[in-house]
Amino acid sequence: MTSGGLATSGGLATSGGLATSGDGGLVTSGGEGLTSSENGGLATGGGLVTSGDGAGDGSDCAPERELLVQSFAPRPRLLIFGAAEFARPLADLGAALGHRVTVCDARPAFAAVERFPRADDVVVERPDRWFRTHEHLVDASTAVCVLTHDARFDVPVLALALRSRAGYVGAMGSRRTHEDRLERLRVAGTPEAELARLRSPIGLDLGGRGAEETALSIIAEIVAVRRGGTARPLTLRTGPIHEV
């Protein structure tokens, strides 16, 4: 081991996480998603493949070759605004599915860390203020769920979320509440094209009852939107169950 973090024992390793095996394979422990194939090939999360014994001759791309490709991507974000009872099982389900979960509510009694043990962040703040500060973190994999059921909090954060890059924006409430919310958003200057993105009443029609089953219907809709699913029973589909 050198002072720069370089070591060799048949292979080569560096402190930056890059290493070669004795047969020319290249592996990395960094966040770029590179792993070596068993024959010295290099696979990346972006799909680039090279080989230590024949790079450039196309041999690694032959149909009979099998390569392991690992992709290291950040966890999708689940932003829950409104720390009501429905938020608790939703945060748990979101965490179980690998989301980075943030729960935000302006009411300290609701946004208590002990109520959301599986959330990554529990924040006492007005939802719209938190969203403005963290909007740069929102991308197409982000799901925004507004559960406050109070126009004072719902409308400002929804106006921001609908114009953001969030892939899913949903809000809880009855159809009457939904219509009232739409009018308030229009008054706030939200264009119709953005209003069309709002999924409200939130969730799929599972016929469920209670906070847990409601949370299940919400997370099911989030998965369907992200994966491009139809949310229809598989018995009604023809062809393969899982798309490649």
Side-chain angles (χ1 to χ4, degrees):
M1 176 79 66
T2 72
S3 60
L6 188 65
T8 178
S9 178
L12 180 65
T14 75
S15 60
L18 189 63
T20 64
S21 66
D23 60 359
L26 182 62
V27 299
T28 177
S29 61
E32 296 300 323
L34 278 65
T35 57
S36 68
S37 73
E38 61 180 3
N39 293 318
L42 174 64
T44 76
L48 180 63
V49 178
T50 66
S51 173
D53 56 354
D57 63 4
S59 60
D60 279 326
C61 298
E64 67 274 9
R65 293 297 298 272
E66 291 187 3
L67 298 176
L68 170 65
V69 179
Q70 288 182 302
S71 178
F72 298 92
R75 290 186 291 163
R77 292 181 179 273
L78 174 59
L79 308 180
I80 303 173
F81 297 106
E85 281 303 304
F86 295 100
R88 298 174 68 179
L90 181 58
D92 290 343
L93 286 172
L97 292 179
H99 294 79
R100 179 178 178 85
V101 179
T102 298
V103 179
C104 177
D105 197 303
R107 302 164 293 183
F110 286 78
V113 175
E114 58 270 18
R115 296 185 66 231
F116 300 94
R118 299 198 64 182
D120 295 277
D121 304 289
V122 180
V123 184
V124 179
E125 178 63 279
R126 279 189 60 96
D128 56 312
R129 291 176 183 167
W130 187 95
F131 198 96
R132 286 183 188 277
T133 304
H134 298 85
E135 189 169 356
H136 64 285
L137 301 175
V138 174
D139 59 20
S141 69
T142 302
V144 178
C145 298
V146 179
L147 311 180
T148 315
H149 213 294
D150 186 331
R152 296 174 301 165
F153 300 108
D154 291 358
V155 172
V157 72
L158 281 172
L160 294 171
L162 289 170
R163 78 181 187 195
S164 75
R165 297 179 296 165
Y168 177 95
V169 182
M172 179 169 282
S174 66
R175 296 193 185 282
R176 179 179 297 180
T177 298
H178 171 66
E179 293 301 325
D180 176 72
R181 186 184 288 132
L182 288 180
E183 287 305 311
R184 291 174 184 270
L185 285 166
R186 291 187 181 101
V187 171
T190 305
E192 292 298 321
E194 293 178 4
L195 291 177
R197 299 183 59 211
L198 179 59
R199 295 181 175 271
S200 175
I202 195 171
L204 299 181
D205 180 14
L206 302 183
R209 297 289 186 272
E212 288 75 15
E213 292 181 350
T214 299
L216 177 62
S217 76
I218 295 171
I219 205 72
E221 185 176 42
I222 291 172
V223 172
V225 170
R226 177 172 296 144
R227 303 299 188 187
T230 65
R232 300 173 62 210
L234 289 174
T235 54
L236 300 180
R237 286 194 56 178
T238 58
I241 294 176
H242 301 291
E243 300 293 342
V244 178

